[in-house]
Structures are given as structure tokens and as C-alpha cells.
Amino acid sequence: MSDIQNVRPQHANTISEWDLAADVVIAGYGVAGVCAAIESARAGADTLILERTGGWGGAAALSGGFIYLGGGTPLQKALGFEDTAENMEAFLLAALGPGADSAKIHDYCQGSVEHFEWLVAQGVPFKEEFWGEPGWEPPGDHGLMYSGGENAAPLNTIASPAPRGHLPQMTDKRTGERGGGYMLMKPLADTAESVGVRAEYDIRIERLIIDDDGRTVGVVAKRYGRRLTVRARRGVVLATGSFAYNQQMVATFTPRLIGRPAASIEQHDGIGIQVAQALGAQLAHMDAAEVAFFADPQVLVRGILVNGRGQRYIPEDTYPGRIGQATLNQQDNQAYLIIDEPSLEAAFATESTSAAMRRPPTWAAETVEELEAEIGLPTGALKTTIDVYNQHARQGADPLLGKKRQWVQPITTPLAAYDLRECTGGFTLGGLATDLDSRVLHVSGDPIPGLFAAGRCTSGICAGGYASGASLGDGSFYGRRAGRAAARRIAE
Ligand SMILES: Cc1cc2nc3c(=O)[nH]c(=O)nc-3n(C[C@H](O)[C@H](O)[C@H](O)COP(=O)(O)OP(=O)(O)OC[C@H]3O[C@@H](n4cnc5c(N)ncnc54)[C@H](O)[C@@H]3O)c2cc1C
């Protein structure tokens, strides 16, 4: 049996001597782990993090750093945006569904302002500057941006639009190195150290240890080929990330992501989910996935996006992650962006947030009929789409999909198209079912004694949909809950 398959719990009565011990043992030093650790240590528990790699950070430190927060945070207010917890909740229920956990969303929205203040108190900096252009992320160190399609149809009719993508301020921005995610993790890791959290690196958890009552009392881990037992006097927190790099799990639960993991790290192999499953843990939304769409939003908004039948299917000015999910899940990854010459020039004249996305179109043609033939679309399909679009665009409207007036104008000739088939990739969002105290739930619905989890090894606030920042958002929020609950050893 391979190491990864041997995830069944070990019984504590087989262990005569423990190699390491702490009140609360946390597996994984990414965003959920560090937040759990800070709160656990502050609650008076001797806290130990076990991290598989040689340092803290995880996917979180490589990330763009968006944290989805709202309800009237000081940053939103300072930048002149009105928001309430109720407004945020209405948005998230619509944007993250179908099937999103309404209790978690309510709880998350109610606690969002406090969570922002907590992050600031730990030293996470946010600059009072708003970025309002289409894009995946701002080009600089702006602190706030729309990051979920809040100001686009149809969501702008469900809740009043408010930007909620909060970004830690970075100096000398280098995405993937010193981006927003690093600027989130660095102060949190410094805080953890200052409150006495201990960390052991190059140590990889493999199994849980349970006592005769079924309570989780430790973990079996491996370091440099040697097995270690680690005792957790109060509780174990699983914070090991998603299953995006476990091919078997991806094939089983999110087959559309096969061969296209993105915004993830190889360490996300699903181990946290599997060791808890071996104790009878309940899972939720294992089919859910964030899906990035590798196209330049400045170009997207100025064109029309059509599927393999030459038909539009989503407003081009919405959150590109919504476009990614719609393209992968509903259009079999078939997408072409049609844009005319003046619009392409206008897009290229804007500040680029990702130079790699600024590339020449795949096809160019003098007429719509020619372009249609070059792409290989059924005769008349694209022509019909453009005729209908232009008919309304002349009045500055898009009654079909509700693209905002500012981006709507008739498509002229000559024109061009981008081949955006296979332009998606993503990470998994499903995982362990947990309650609002981050207790891992058994299939019976009861909490599993001594076992807590947060971050992407759990199912958080997302189900069918996603907004940038939801992952660092619920990971940090419920990481804190896990740390507090484990330290308290709350009654199960
Ligand atoms: C390029 C990029 C951009 C992103 N941008 C954003 C964004 O802007 N906003 C957003 O919300 N999300 C973003 N994400 C996603 C986000 O970073 C992750 O979803 C988030 O970090 C998950 O938090 P986590 O604590 O569960 O996992 P992580 O932060 O990855 O932490 C998990 C830790 O567990 C460790 N680990 C794994 N297995 C074991 C084991 N067996 N034993 C011990 N330790 C183990 C890992 O090494 C890792 O350090 C991005 C990700 C990437 C890569």
C-alpha cells in the first residue's frame, strides 16, 4: 500500500513514546494554518505547526492576495463605497451558488468588518486606493477592486455593487514572489512567531491518531523518511490545502480540471481530506472549482465572446472567473473573442496588468463572413450574433446579456478573433464539511471530537460560483475559528 493510500487512523494505544507534543497541532503553514495558530496561541494553547515544505507560505504566499471582505470595511468607507453585511450576503448567495452554505455565508458576512480589522491589527497593510479598470488584478499596490462581478449583470441587479476584493499593499510588486499574498502571509507569520507559535518544517502529516473514544489526539508524520508521532493534547487542525494536485481525486470529483490545475501548488494533494475521510468525515461540494480564464479583461470587455456555435453566453464585462466557469462548465471550453480594429487598439492602449495576455489575435478578416469561415463556425452563426448585437449596440444597449453601456458599441469591419479554447485552469473548492467553529463533521452530522479544519481542504463559502478573494477570505476567517475552537477544546 502506498503512503498516500495508507490514511487510516492509528490508535494511540499503539504508541509508547511521542516524538513531539503540543496542545494544538496544526498541519500546514499557509493562510488557514497561520490564522489558526495565532488564535490558538492567543487563547493560551501551546501551538505547533507542522509544514511539509521548508518554510511558511503555501499557495497563499504565491497568490495575488485578494481577500474577499465587505459589509462596510474601513477601506470601503475610506474609498467612498457603501456596503452592508446584508448586501454582501445577498451578493454572495447569488454569486457563489447554486448550493452555497447559507449559514457560513451569513456568518462570514456578519464577521467581515471585524476580520478586516483583525488582519490590519496583525500588521497586514491596505492602501487606500481603488482600481476600477477591467482586470484580474491591479497593476500596482491598490487596495480595493471589484473581484466577483458585483458591478456586472445579472448580479448588479441582485445587490448594490460594492468592490470587496481587498489587497494587501505590496512594495515592488512581483506576482508569485512578492505579490499581495506574500504581503498577507509575512505579517501573519511574524505575528505567529511573536505570540509563541512553534513551527517544524519538512514534516509531512500522513495519518491521524485517535484514542479509544474516537477523539483525534495526534498525527503520524514523516520527516526525511522517518516516521514521527505528534501528540495533540487539545486538538488537531487540518490546513493542508486543496486536492488540485491529486489526479485521482480530480478525476473522481472535478474531471473538467484534469490536466489543468492552476493557482495551486503541488503540495495540495488532498491529504487533509483523506485522513479525515478515514474517520468518517462528511464532504461537501467536491465538484466545485475556481476557474481562471487566461485572457485580458481589457480586450474581453471591448469585444464579444462567443461559443462553438457562434453565440454569446455571458456579459464580457463580468468577473473573468465567472467567464472561466461558464466557459469550462457550460460551453465545453469553446470560446472565441471577436473584436474590431479600433476596439483592439483601445484595449492595447490601456495599462497592461499582465503583459503575457497582450498578444496578437489568432485570425483577422475584412468581413464577418470571412472571419466566420476562418474560425470554422457554421455559416451565418457569427453573422447573426453580430447583427443582433449591433442592432442594440447602436442604441448603446445589450438587452440579451446586460453588458454595461460603457462597453457596448457596434462591431465594425475589419475585425479579428482570438481562439480562447482551452484557456481555462483552476483549483478545487470542495472538501471537508465543517461547522461555524471549523469542527470537522462526521457523516452523521456530529463533530468528530478533537478534529478541526479550514482553508481549501474544507468546503468554505463557495459552491457553484467563485469570487477572487473567497479562498484567502474563508481560509483566514475559518482558520481563526479553528484555532480558537481547538484551543478551547469546545464540547463536542
Ligand atoms: C498564483 C495564485 C494566485 C492566487 N490568488 C488568490 C487570490 O488572489 N485570492 C484568493 O482568495 N486565493 C488565491 N489563490 C488561492 C489561494 O492561495 C489558496 O486557495 C489558499 O492559499 C488556500 O489556503 P490553505 O491554507 O488551504 O492552503 P495553503 O495556503 O496552500 O497552505 C497549505 C499548506 O499546507 C502544507 N501541506 C500540504 N500537505 C501537507 C502535509 N501532508 N503535512 C504538512 N503540511 C502540508 C502546504 O505545503 C502549504 O504550506 C491563489 C493561488 C495561487 C497559486
Side-chain angles (χ1 to χ4, degrees):
M1 193 178 279
S2 78
D3 284 351
I4 192 85
Q5 282 169 327
N6 188 10
V7 292
R8 290 190 185 86
Q10 181 169 340
H11 280 267
N13 57 20
T14 61
I15 298 164
S16 51
E17 208 177 319
W18 298 84
D19 296 294
L20 295 166
D23 293 335
V24 173
V25 172
I26 297 167
Y29 204 159
V31 71
V34 72
C35 292
I38 292 169
E39 294 289 55
S40 162
R42 287 227 174 95
D46 171 28
T47 304
L48 173 65
I49 306 182
L50 308 176
E51 165 57 42
R52 171 178 164 169
T53 67
W56 54 260
L62 299 175
S63 76
F66 278 100
I67 311 159
Y68 202 88
L69 297 166
T73 65
L75 187 66
Q76 286 180 312
K77 284 186 178 157
L79 291 169
F81 293 101
E82 277 183 28
D83 197 11
T84 62
E86 293 69 31
N87 187 48
M88 178 181 177
E89 186 173 338
F91 171 80
L92 286 181
L93 281 174
L96 305 186
D101 183 331
S102 54
K104 262 188 192 162
I105 287 183
H106 177 75
D107 180 47
Y108 183 77
C109 294
Q110 290 294 321
S112 191
V113 171
E114 185 277 335
H115 191 49
F116 173 84
E117 285 163 351
W118 183 85
L119 289 168
V120 172
Q122 312 317 304
V124 181
F126 294 94
K127 186 177 177 189
E128 287 182 7
E129 195 172 349
F130 172 68
W131 175 254
E133 288 291 310
W136 275 104
E137 58 182 27
D141 59 355
H142 309 70
L144 192 65
M145 180 175 167
Y146 285 101
S147 70
E150 298 84 353
N151 59 344
L155 297 166
N156 58 1
T157 62
I158 292 169
S160 27
R164 303 193 186 93
H166 288 61
L167 283 144
Q169 186 178 3
M170 52 213 119
T171 43
D172 186 22
K173 172 176 172 165
R174 275 173 281 149
T175 300
E177 281 178 69
R178 299 251 165 161
Y182 178 84
M183 292 308 294
L184 170 67
M185 282 302 296
K186 173 82 173 98
L188 293 176
D190 287 346
T191 303
E193 198 182 331
S194 74
V195 295
V197 171
R198 292 182 288 136
E200 295 281 342
Y201 297 104
D202 299 308
I203 183 165
R204 174 175 179 165
I205 70 136
E206 292 185 330
R207 306 164 70 180
L208 297 171
I209 299 171
I210 55 171
D211 67 11
D212 290 343
D213 300 328
R215 161 176 276 278
T216 304
V217 294
V219 298
V220 179
K222 200 182 202 178
R223 179 187 252 167
Y224 308 131
R226 186 177 158 247
R227 291 232 148 68
L228 302 169
T229 53
V230 186
R231 181 164 177 227
R233 288 181 288 262
R234 299 195 202 175
V236 168
V237 178
L238 298 170
T240 50
S242 77
F243 63 92
Y245 272 90
N246 182 317
Q247 289 186 18
Q248 202 185 341
M249 289 176 78
V250 167
T252 305
F253 299 113
T254 54
R256 288 185 193 277
L257 284 189
I258 292 175
R260 54 181 89 248
S264 189
I265 52 172
E266 279 179 27
Q267 288 75 22
H268 284 206
D269 64 3
I271 186 70
I273 298 172
Q274 292 181 318
V275 292
Q277 269 188 289
L279 290 188
Q282 178 65 288
L283 303 178
H285 299 302
M286 292 297 281
D287 59 338
E290 178 269 357
V291 184
F293 191 63
F294 303 114
D296 184 344
Q298 287 281 13
V299 181
L300 278 175
V301 293
R302 291 174 168 85
I304 58 166
L305 197 59
V306 300
N307 62 17
R309 295 180 298 283
Q311 295 163 334
R312 289 177 71 220
Y313 58 94
I314 192 157
E316 295 81 2
D317 60 348
T318 191
Y319 167 53
R322 280 183 80 75
I323 296 179
Q325 288 183 321
T327 304
L328 180 65
N329 299 333
Q330 291 153 20
Q331 307 299 336
D332 277 333
N333 241 345
Q334 303 294 299
Y336 306 97
L337 183 77
I338 316 297
I339 188 161
D340 62 22
E341 216 170 77
S343 301
L344 193 58
E345 278 169 15
F348 278 14
T350 61
E351 193 170 357
S352 173
T353 52
S354 169
M357 290 186 183
R358 289 282 155 99
R359 55 187 168 94
T362 320
W363 302 280
E366 292 299 318
T367 65
V368 174
E369 288 82 352
E370 250 178 65
L371 187 68
E372 194 173 71
E374 288 218 42
I375 300 174
L377 292 170
T379 306
L382 184 60
K383 171 113 185 41
T384 308
T385 296
I386 291 183
D387 285 348
V388 173
Y389 182 77
N390 282 353
Q391 180 190 333
H392 297 291
R394 282 189 274 276
Q395 271 78 54
D398 175 24
L400 204 62
L401 293 168
K403 179 154 76 164
K404 287 189 290 295
R405 183 173 273 270
Q406 74 187 104
W407 305 118
V408 176
Q409 48 183 311
I411 294 170
T412 57
T413 51
L415 75 180
Y418 283 86
D419 186 350
L420 299 179
R421 290 173 293 179
E422 306 298 325
C423 275
T424 53
F427 61 87
T428 59
L429 296 170
L432 300 169
T434 51
D435 68 8
L436 302 183
D437 280 313
S438 299
R439 297 183 292 182
V440 177
L441 301 175
H442 187 262
V443 286
S444 65
D446 295 332
I448 297 177
L451 190 61
F452 306 82
R456 281 295 60 83
C457 65
T458 66
S459 174
I461 58 173
C462 300
Y466 190 73
S468 277
S471 202
L472 296 175
D474 73 18
S476 55
F477 189 88
Y478 287 105
R480 292 177 60 199
R481 291 281 175 84
R484 287 205 294 262
R488 278 206 308 271
R489 194 173 172 169
I490 56 174
E492 288 95 9

